[in-house]
Amino acid sequence: MVAQGDRPTLADGSLHILVSTGEVSGDLQGGFLIEALHRQAKVLGLTLKVAAVGGERMTQAGAHLIGDTTGIGSVGLFEAIPYLIPTLQMQRRIRHQLQQQPIDLVVFIDYMNPNLSLGQFLRKTYPALPTAYYIAPQQWVWAFSEKDTQALVSIADKMVAIFPQEATYYRKFGADIAYFGHPLVDRLTAPPTQIEARKSLGLWLDAPVVTLLPASRWQEVKHVLPIMLTVAQQIQKVLPDVQFLMPVSYGKLRSSIERAIAQAGINVRLIEGEAYPAIAAADLVLNKSGTVNLEVALINVPQVVIYRLNPLTARIAYYLLKLRVEHVSPVNLIVEKTIVPEFIQWEATVAAITAESLKLLQDTGARAKVLAGYDELRQRMGQPGVCDRVAAELIAFAQQSHTQPHAQQASPVNLQDKV
């Protein structure tokens, strides 16, 4: 068993990093970061090893996967209950990994509660182990109190923001935080054109296409997918030749999605693999709220954002916790105004969403206004090379940490004493 105090120095040319994240979006961003870490390590002549909790994309990027967390994420109070035990089991695996192999740097990506728990464990057990938070939870939007923000800052020696407002917010709480732009600009510098995408998917070139992006979590299949399919039914009544596409980002959701589509009685083609062609082929995207909103914007397709939580969770947040936010979509958050229409919880009615969807499909002026907003968004998201700049910052931080005196390391605790 290896004590953290026995880790080798970077002078031997080796660098061991642990990346901790969850859900499909975390796996995506973790994969981008790990690829960049390998590129930067090669430039510096370092031998890089990455252990990770995440998913398949991180594995493909060159990480040794400790556990898959793509299916155990949720949004909301009651929605998180089914995932408590799997989350605790994953925490055990991470702690076991820390006992077995020295780590030079731990990088947290989003995934607030599990990463906060892990960070607090590291502070107690390995107080000198360098930690960094990349893509920190959006406390600047959702924070119920300053206590959670202070807790996040306390577990991270270094933070890297992906929104300019995020850097400003965390800096107020004493965070050592940098901003290099949003990592998605690296992936979508030259997205396929609509014609190219339609040809690649074998679609009619002159018929309207609507792409549905309802779910990467089980709870979204329950709360978001039904209303999206009902809206699709209404669109089909007005535009009988419309073609519906739906990429499946998380394979385990497929059977549930197929059943919901069959019950809705509409013709939706499920798309496996990369979602970008299905987005680029569309005249309109009906979209859940999340990172994918930015992907759609960078591909330059008008969209309508829809989200619903468990009704009881929503009422607690609104009436008891007094949560009030002007925007939820990252597109609108970055530019601090409404570019894409949002229909959240009680406002997410079939009539309202259908009307806005048909407007964006048929009104060239409305479409042009959204696309003009996307131009402003791109300017605020930074220049390509974001992931490599982030990776260089994190490696430099790990190297710097090794050159500074550290407090005496605590020995790893017995796993049965924790969790």
Side-chain angles (χ1 to χ4, degrees):
M1 190 170 294
V2 180
Q4 191 64 35
D6 297 334
R7 70 181 191 231
T9 66
L10 293 184
D12 68 359
S14 66
L15 177 63
H16 294 183
I17 295 177
L18 171 65
V19 181
S20 172
T21 189
E23 303 187 294
V24 173
S25 60
D27 182 36
L28 174 71
Q29 299 296 346
F32 295 162
L33 176 63
I34 291 166
E35 289 172 351
L37 286 168
H38 279 291
R39 288 194 297 269
Q40 293 301 311
K42 184 176 181 180
V43 169
L44 295 170
L46 295 172
T47 300
L48 176 66
K49 293 183 179 179
V50 180
V53 287
E56 182 179 353
R57 294 185 187 228
M58 296 172 77
T59 302
Q60 293 172 348
H64 165 65
L65 199 65
I66 301 171
D68 191 335
T69 55
T70 53
I72 58 175
S74 62
V75 174
L77 305 174
F78 301 101
E79 291 86 346
I81 293 174
Y83 303 111
L84 289 177
I85 293 177
T87 298
L88 291 174
Q89 291 172 336
M90 198 63 66
Q91 294 284 313
R92 284 179 180 268
R93 292 187 186 182
I94 297 171
R95 295 173 187 187
H96 179 73
Q97 177 75 17
L98 289 166
Q99 287 186 317
Q100 297 303 312
Q101 184 180 54
I103 297 295
D104 299 302
L105 175 67
V106 175
V107 179
F108 309 114
I109 299 179
D110 203 1
Y111 207 39
M112 178 169 171
N113 289 329
N115 274 337
L116 185 55
S117 175
L118 174 61
Q120 291 170 338
F121 166 81
L122 294 176
R123 281 293 187 246
K124 293 178 181 178
T125 311
Y126 305 108
L129 174 59
T131 57
Y133 221 126
Y134 173 53
I135 309 183
Q138 293 183 352
Q139 293 297 103
W140 53 283
V141 180
W142 300 108
F144 295 118
S145 71
E146 294 184 352
K147 183 178 179 181
D148 287 340
T149 301
Q150 291 166 342
L152 288 167
V153 171
S154 73
I155 66 167
D157 300 307
K158 167 74 68 175
M159 300 183 84
V160 179
I162 61 170
F163 300 103
Q165 301 96 323
E166 179 183 332
T168 300
Y169 173 82
Y170 278 105
R171 196 170 286 121
K172 291 178 181 177
F173 290 85
D176 178 1
I177 190 165
Y179 171 69
F180 299 104
H182 197 288
L184 283 179
V185 300
D186 292 354
R187 313 303 295 186
L188 290 163
T189 54
T193 67
Q194 186 180 84
I195 291 176
E196 290 170 343
R198 291 190 180 188
K199 286 182 177 180
S200 72
L201 295 171
L203 300 171
W204 294 105
L205 299 182
D206 56 353
V209 176
V210 175
T211 294
L212 312 177
L213 297 171
S216 59
R217 305 181 179 104
W218 291 106
Q219 71 182 79
E220 292 161 348
V221 172
K222 181 178 180 179
H223 298 297
V224 180
L225 178 60
I227 190 169
M228 199 174 282
L229 291 176
T230 305
V231 170
Q233 290 174 330
Q234 300 305 308
I235 293 174
Q236 188 171 261
K237 289 178 181 179
V238 178
L239 303 171
D241 59 342
V242 66
Q243 303 171 89
F244 292 107
L245 306 176
M246 186 185 298
V248 180
S249 61
Y250 181 47
K252 292 182 179 179
L253 300 179
R254 185 183 178 104
S255 60
S256 297
I257 290 173
E258 287 177 331
R259 286 194 296 270
I261 290 173
Q263 291 172 1
I266 58 176
N267 186 19
V268 180
R269 176 179 166 188
L270 297 184
I271 305 295
E272 298 287 353
E274 186 65 74
Y276 293 158
I279 295 171
D283 296 293
L284 175 70
V285 173
L286 297 184
N287 208 356
K288 69 159 194 166
S289 177
T291 301
V292 69
N293 301 166
L294 294 173
E295 295 175 284
V296 172
L298 291 171
I299 296 174
N300 217 37
V301 180
Q303 62 185 303
V304 176
V305 175
I306 305 164
Y307 212 82
R308 279 182 171 178
L309 294 169
N310 179 311
L312 184 54
T313 296
R315 285 183 170 84
I316 290 173
Y318 189 84
Y319 292 109
L320 295 182
L321 300 177
K322 305 298 182 182
L323 178 64
R324 304 288 189 274
V325 292
E326 188 172 352
H327 300 112
V328 298
S329 170
V331 173
N332 296 333
L333 287 170
I334 290 177
V335 296
E336 299 177 287
K337 64 181 180 182
T338 300
I339 290 179
V340 298
E342 302 177 358
F343 296 94
I344 310 301
Q345 207 62 31
W346 303 287
E347 296 177 350
T349 65
V350 171
I353 299 168
T354 301
E356 192 65 38
S357 299
L358 290 171
K359 180 180 178 181
L360 287 172
L361 284 166
Q362 299 174 321
D363 185 336
T364 56
R367 294 176 62 83
K369 185 177 180 180
V370 171
L371 298 181
Y374 288 167
D375 289 338
E376 182 178 350
L377 172 72
R378 289 189 198 94
Q379 293 175 7
R380 298 201 182 191
M381 289 181 69
Q383 298 300 312
V386 173
C387 289
D388 282 286
R389 293 192 290 271
V390 172
E393 176 84 358
L394 294 176
I395 290 176
F397 170 63
Q399 292 175 313
Q400 179 185 15
S401 298
H402 273 267
T403 64
Q404 295 176 347
H406 291 304
Q408 185 176 359
Q409 299 285 348
S411 298
V413 299
N414 188 308
L415 289 178
Q416 293 181 351
D417 293 337
K418 296 288 182 180
V419 184

